[in-house]
Amino acid sequence: MPRTTLNDRARKQRIRAREYNKLRRQMIKLESITDAQIATLKKIEAVMEKGQLPTTQDIPDWEALREMGVIRLDGDQVILTSVGGDVLDAEEA
């Protein structure tokens, strides 16, 4: 049975609005990325190429990078996301 009642439509609209606002906040943070944070991303990429994963203790500002969506956590290990790779590619070009 399709969920097309007015309450369901309103709920879905609220969910889409939250997702849009979250993405908008993330993009604003990405636009203001600093050179130090880009250097940190390069450091993470270099460590990952060696076959190791850095931990949150190795990265001083991992919370800000996580809010930007450029890294994700797996336990206490830091993993570069595709958005982080795109940021590094844009900086190299």
Side-chain angles (χ1 to χ4, degrees):
M1 180 170 110
R3 298 182 70 176
T4 57
T5 65
L6 292 177
N7 288 339
D8 289 331
R9 289 181 185 174
R11 181 182 60 85
K12 290 176 184 178
Q13 185 177 10
R14 286 191 307 271
I15 291 170
R16 282 191 295 273
R18 277 190 227 119
E19 289 172 351
Y20 172 77
N21 289 333
K22 180 182 176 186
L23 182 62
R24 198 173 123 256
R25 284 190 305 270
Q26 182 180 1
M27 294 305 291
I28 290 170
K29 289 177 185 176
L30 269 175
E31 289 174 355
S32 64
I33 192 167
T34 64
D35 292 335
Q37 291 170 331
I38 292 172
T40 302
L41 289 177
K42 289 179 182 178
K43 177 180 157 185
I44 293 170
E45 183 183 40
V47 171
M48 287 179 67
E49 286 177 355
K50 292 179 183 176
Q52 301 171 346
L53 294 176
T55 62
T56 55
Q57 297 169 350
D58 300 333
I59 312 300
D61 59 345
W62 65 269
E63 294 99 349
L65 294 172
R66 183 177 180 203
E67 289 174 0
M68 290 180 196
V70 294
I71 63 169
R72 67 179 174 89
L73 296 180
D74 185 23
D76 67 338
Q77 296 178 330
V78 176
I79 300 171
L80 196 65
T81 64
S82 61
V83 174
D86 292 342
V87 168
L88 287 175
D89 290 342
E91 288 299 318
E92 291 175 3

Short mmCIF file of all heavy atoms in Angstrom, two decimals, residues 29-66:
data_model
loop_
_atom_site.label_atom_id
_atom_site.label_comp_id
_atom_site.label_asym_id
_atom_site.label_seq_id
_atom_site.Cartn_x
_atom_site.Cartn_y
_atom_site.Cartn_z
N LYS A 29 31.11 24.54 4.76
CA LYS A 29 32.35 24.22 5.47
C LYS A 29 33.45 23.81 4.50
O LYS A 29 34.61 24.15 4.71
CB LYS A 29 32.09 23.10 6.47
CG LYS A 29 31.27 23.54 7.66
CD LYS A 29 30.97 22.40 8.58
CE LYS A 29 30.05 22.85 9.69
NZ LYS A 29 29.65 21.77 10.58
N LEU A 30 33.08 23.10 3.43
CA LEU A 30 34.08 22.69 2.44
C LEU A 30 34.67 23.89 1.70
O LEU A 30 35.84 23.89 1.35
CB LEU A 30 33.45 21.74 1.43
CG LEU A 30 33.54 20.26 1.75
CD1 LEU A 30 32.77 19.46 0.73
CD2 LEU A 30 34.95 19.79 1.84
N GLU A 31 33.86 24.90 1.46
CA GLU A 31 34.35 26.08 0.77
C GLU A 31 35.35 26.86 1.60
O GLU A 31 36.18 27.58 1.05
CB GLU A 31 33.18 26.99 0.39
CG GLU A 31 32.32 26.42 -0.72
CD GLU A 31 31.09 27.24 -1.00
OE1 GLU A 31 30.83 28.23 -0.28
OE2 GLU A 31 30.37 26.89 -1.94
N SER A 32 35.30 26.71 2.92
CA SER A 32 36.23 27.43 3.78
C SER A 32 37.33 26.53 4.33
O SER A 32 37.86 26.79 5.40
CB SER A 32 35.45 28.08 4.94
OG SER A 32 34.87 27.08 5.74
N ILE A 33 37.71 25.50 3.58
CA ILE A 33 38.76 24.59 4.03
C ILE A 33 40.10 25.34 4.01
O ILE A 33 40.37 26.13 3.11
CB ILE A 33 38.79 23.32 3.16
CG1 ILE A 33 39.68 22.25 3.79
CG2 ILE A 33 39.19 23.62 1.73
CD1 ILE A 33 39.52 20.88 3.18
N THR A 34 40.90 25.10 5.02
CA THR A 34 42.17 25.81 5.16
C THR A 34 43.31 25.00 4.54
O THR A 34 43.17 23.82 4.25
CB THR A 34 42.49 26.08 6.63
OG1 THR A 34 42.66 24.82 7.30
CG2 THR A 34 41.39 26.87 7.30
N ASP A 35 44.44 25.67 4.36
CA ASP A 35 45.61 25.00 3.81
C ASP A 35 46.13 23.93 4.77
O ASP A 35 46.62 22.89 4.34
CB ASP A 35 46.72 26.02 3.53
CG ASP A 35 46.36 26.96 2.38
OD1 ASP A 35 45.53 26.55 1.53
OD2 ASP A 35 46.89 28.07 2.35
N ALA A 36 46.00 24.17 6.06
CA ALA A 36 46.44 23.18 7.04
C ALA A 36 45.58 21.92 6.95
O ALA A 36 46.10 20.80 7.07
CB ALA A 36 46.38 23.77 8.44
N GLN A 37 44.29 22.09 6.73
CA GLN A 37 43.41 20.94 6.61
C GLN A 37 43.69 20.17 5.32
O GLN A 37 43.62 18.95 5.30
CB GLN A 37 41.95 21.38 6.67
CG GLN A 37 41.55 21.86 8.05
CD GLN A 37 40.19 22.52 8.07
OE1 GLN A 37 39.74 23.09 7.09
NE2 GLN A 37 39.53 22.45 9.22
N ILE A 38 44.03 20.88 4.25
CA ILE A 38 44.40 20.21 3.01
C ILE A 38 45.69 19.43 3.19
O ILE A 38 45.83 18.31 2.70
CB ILE A 38 44.50 21.23 1.86
CG1 ILE A 38 43.10 21.78 1.55
CG2 ILE A 38 45.11 20.60 0.62
CD1 ILE A 38 43.08 22.93 0.58
N ALA A 39 46.63 20.00 3.93
CA ALA A 39 47.87 19.30 4.23
C ALA A 39 47.59 18.04 5.04
O ALA A 39 48.22 16.99 4.82
CB ALA A 39 48.83 20.22 4.96
N THR A 40 46.64 18.13 5.95
CA THR A 40 46.26 16.96 6.74
C THR A 40 45.66 15.88 5.85
O THR A 40 45.94 14.69 6.01
CB THR A 40 45.25 17.36 7.84
OG1 THR A 40 45.85 18.35 8.66
CG2 THR A 40 44.87 16.17 8.69
N LEU A 41 44.84 16.29 4.89
CA LEU A 41 44.26 15.32 3.95
C LEU A 41 45.34 14.64 3.12
O LEU A 41 45.27 13.43 2.87
CB LEU A 41 43.25 16.01 3.03
CG LEU A 41 41.94 16.44 3.65
CD1 LEU A 41 41.09 17.17 2.61
CD2 LEU A 41 41.19 15.26 4.21
N LYS A 42 46.34 15.40 2.71
CA LYS A 42 47.45 14.82 1.95
C LYS A 42 48.22 13.83 2.80
O LYS A 42 48.66 12.78 2.32
CB LYS A 42 48.36 15.92 1.43
CG LYS A 42 47.74 16.74 0.32
CD LYS A 42 48.66 17.83 -0.16
CE LYS A 42 48.00 18.66 -1.25
NZ LYS A 42 48.85 19.77 -1.70
N LYS A 43 48.36 14.15 4.09
CA LYS A 43 49.05 13.25 5.02
C LYS A 43 48.26 11.95 5.17
O LYS A 43 48.82 10.86 5.15
CB LYS A 43 49.21 13.95 6.37
CG LYS A 43 49.83 13.12 7.45
CD LYS A 43 49.91 13.94 8.74
CE LYS A 43 49.98 13.04 9.94
NZ LYS A 43 49.94 13.78 11.19
N ILE A 44 46.94 12.07 5.29
CA ILE A 44 46.08 10.88 5.40
C ILE A 44 46.19 10.04 4.15
O ILE A 44 46.31 8.81 4.21
CB ILE A 44 44.62 11.29 5.67
CG1 ILE A 44 44.48 11.94 7.04
CG2 ILE A 44 43.69 10.10 5.55
CD1 ILE A 44 43.13 12.59 7.28
N GLU A 45 46.18 10.69 2.99
CA GLU A 45 46.27 9.96 1.72
C GLU A 45 47.60 9.22 1.61
O GLU A 45 47.66 8.07 1.17
CB GLU A 45 46.10 10.92 0.55
CG GLU A 45 46.11 10.24 -0.80
CD GLU A 45 46.00 11.22 -1.94
OE1 GLU A 45 46.63 12.29 -1.88
OE2 GLU A 45 45.29 10.89 -2.90
N ALA A 46 48.69 9.87 2.03
CA ALA A 46 50.01 9.24 1.97
C ALA A 46 50.08 8.02 2.87
O ALA A 46 50.64 6.98 2.48
CB ALA A 46 51.08 10.25 2.35
N VAL A 47 49.50 8.11 4.05
CA VAL A 47 49.51 6.97 4.98
C VAL A 47 48.65 5.84 4.43
O VAL A 47 49.02 4.66 4.52
CB VAL A 47 49.02 7.42 6.38
CG1 VAL A 47 48.82 6.22 7.29
CG2 VAL A 47 50.01 8.38 6.99
N MET A 48 47.52 6.19 3.81
CA MET A 48 46.64 5.16 3.27
C MET A 48 47.27 4.45 2.07
O MET A 48 47.04 3.27 1.85
CB MET A 48 45.29 5.76 2.87
CG MET A 48 44.43 6.12 4.07
SD MET A 48 42.85 6.86 3.62
CE MET A 48 42.04 5.49 2.83
N GLU A 49 48.09 5.16 1.29
CA GLU A 49 48.78 4.54 0.16
C GLU A 49 49.79 3.51 0.62
O GLU A 49 50.10 2.58 -0.11
CB GLU A 49 49.45 5.60 -0.71
CG GLU A 49 48.47 6.40 -1.54
CD GLU A 49 49.14 7.51 -2.33
OE1 GLU A 49 50.37 7.71 -2.17
OE2 GLU A 49 48.43 8.16 -3.11
N LYS A 50 50.31 3.67 1.83
CA LYS A 50 51.25 2.70 2.39
C LYS A 50 50.53 1.45 2.89
O LYS A 50 51.18 0.49 3.28
CB LYS A 50 52.02 3.33 3.54
CG LYS A 50 52.96 4.43 3.12
CD LYS A 50 53.67 5.01 4.32
CE LYS A 50 54.56 6.17 3.93
NZ LYS A 50 55.19 6.80 5.11
N GLY A 51 49.21 1.48 2.90
CA GLY A 51 48.46 0.32 3.35
C GLY A 51 48.06 0.37 4.80
O GLY A 51 47.59 -0.62 5.36
N GLN A 52 48.25 1.51 5.44
CA GLN A 52 47.89 1.67 6.84
C GLN A 52 46.76 2.68 6.94
O GLN A 52 46.48 3.42 6.02
CB GLN A 52 49.09 2.17 7.64
CG GLN A 52 50.28 1.25 7.59
CD GLN A 52 51.50 1.89 8.22
OE1 GLN A 52 51.53 3.09 8.48
NE2 GLN A 52 52.51 1.08 8.49
N LEU A 53 46.10 2.67 8.07
CA LEU A 53 45.05 3.65 8.34
C LEU A 53 45.45 4.49 9.55
O LEU A 53 45.76 3.94 10.61
CB LEU A 53 43.71 2.96 8.61
CG LEU A 53 43.08 2.21 7.45
CD1 LEU A 53 41.82 1.50 7.91
CD2 LEU A 53 42.75 3.17 6.32
N PRO A 54 45.45 5.81 9.42
CA PRO A 54 45.78 6.65 10.57
C PRO A 54 44.65 6.62 11.60
O PRO A 54 43.50 6.33 11.27
CB PRO A 54 45.94 8.05 9.97
CG PRO A 54 45.15 8.01 8.72
CD PRO A 54 45.20 6.60 8.22
N THR A 55 44.98 6.91 12.83
CA THR A 55 43.97 6.94 13.88
C THR A 55 43.61 8.39 14.19
O THR A 55 44.26 9.32 13.73
CB THR A 55 44.49 6.26 15.17
OG1 THR A 55 45.62 6.99 15.64
CG2 THR A 55 44.87 4.82 14.91
N THR A 56 42.57 8.55 14.98
CA THR A 56 42.13 9.89 15.36
C THR A 56 43.19 10.59 16.20
O THR A 56 43.23 11.82 16.23
CB THR A 56 40.81 9.84 16.13
OG1 THR A 56 40.95 8.96 17.25
CG2 THR A 56 39.68 9.36 15.24
N GLN A 57 44.04 9.83 16.88
CA GLN A 57 45.10 10.43 17.67
C GLN A 57 46.17 11.06 16.79
O GLN A 57 46.84 11.99 17.20
CB GLN A 57 45.73 9.39 18.59
CG GLN A 57 44.75 8.84 19.59
CD GLN A 57 45.29 7.62 20.31
OE1 GLN A 57 46.32 7.07 19.93
NE2 GLN A 57 44.58 7.18 21.34
N ASP A 58 46.33 10.57 15.56
CA ASP A 58 47.32 11.10 14.63
C ASP A 58 46.86 12.38 13.96
O ASP A 58 47.67 13.16 13.48
CB ASP A 58 47.64 10.07 13.54
CG ASP A 58 48.19 8.77 14.11
OD1 ASP A 58 48.80 8.82 15.19
OD2 ASP A 58 48.01 7.73 13.46
N ILE A 59 45.54 12.60 13.88
CA ILE A 59 44.97 13.74 13.17
C ILE A 59 44.41 14.72 14.20
O ILE A 59 43.43 14.43 14.88
CB ILE A 59 43.84 13.28 12.21
CG1 ILE A 59 44.29 12.10 11.36
CG2 ILE A 59 43.36 14.45 11.37
CD1 ILE A 59 45.48 12.36 10.50
N PRO A 60 45.00 15.91 14.32
CA PRO A 60 44.56 16.84 15.37
C PRO A 60 43.17 17.43 15.16
O PRO A 60 42.43 17.62 16.11
CB PRO A 60 45.62 17.95 15.35
CG PRO A 60 46.24 17.86 14.00
CD PRO A 60 46.13 16.43 13.57
N ASP A 61 42.76 17.71 13.93
CA ASP A 61 41.47 18.35 13.68
C ASP A 61 40.52 17.44 12.91
O ASP A 61 39.83 17.87 12.01
CB ASP A 61 41.67 19.68 12.95
CG ASP A 61 42.39 19.49 11.62
OD1 ASP A 61 42.98 18.42 11.41
OD2 ASP A 61 42.36 20.42 10.80
N TRP A 62 40.46 16.20 13.32
CA TRP A 62 39.64 15.23 12.59
C TRP A 62 38.15 15.51 12.72
O TRP A 62 37.38 15.18 11.81
CB TRP A 62 39.96 13.80 13.03
CG TRP A 62 39.59 13.50 14.46
CD1 TRP A 62 40.39 13.64 15.54
CD2 TRP A 62 38.35 13.01 14.93
NE1 TRP A 62 39.72 13.28 16.68
CE2 TRP A 62 38.46 12.87 16.33
CE3 TRP A 62 37.16 12.66 14.33
CZ2 TRP A 62 37.42 12.41 17.13
CZ3 TRP A 62 36.12 12.20 15.12
CH2 TRP A 62 36.26 12.08 16.50
N GLU A 63 37.72 16.17 13.80
CA GLU A 63 36.29 16.48 13.95
C GLU A 63 35.81 17.43 12.87
O GLU A 63 34.75 17.23 12.27
CB GLU A 63 35.99 17.09 15.33
CG GLU A 63 36.21 16.15 16.50
CD GLU A 63 37.56 16.39 17.17
OE1 GLU A 63 38.39 17.12 16.60
OE2 GLU A 63 37.78 15.83 18.24
N ALA A 64 36.59 18.47 12.60
CA ALA A 64 36.21 19.44 11.57
C ALA A 64 36.21 18.78 10.20
O ALA A 64 35.31 19.03 9.38
CB ALA A 64 37.17 20.62 11.59
N LEU A 65 37.19 17.92 9.94
CA LEU A 65 37.23 17.23 8.64
C LEU A 65 36.06 16.27 8.49
O LEU A 65 35.52 16.12 7.39
CB LEU A 65 38.56 16.49 8.50
CG LEU A 65 39.81 17.36 8.42
CD1 LEU A 65 41.07 16.51 8.48
CD2 LEU A 65 39.79 18.21 7.18
N ARG A 66 35.67 15.66 9.58
CA ARG A 66 34.52 14.75 9.53
C ARG A 66 33.23 15.52 9.25
O ARG A 66 32.37 15.05 8.51
CB ARG A 66 34.41 13.99 10.84
CG ARG A 66 33.30 12.97 10.84
CD ARG A 66 33.29 12.21 12.13
NE ARG A 66 32.24 11.22 12.12
CZ ARG A 66 31.70 10.71 13.20
NH1 ARG A 66 32.13 11.08 14.39
NH2 ARG A 66 30.74 9.83 13.11
#
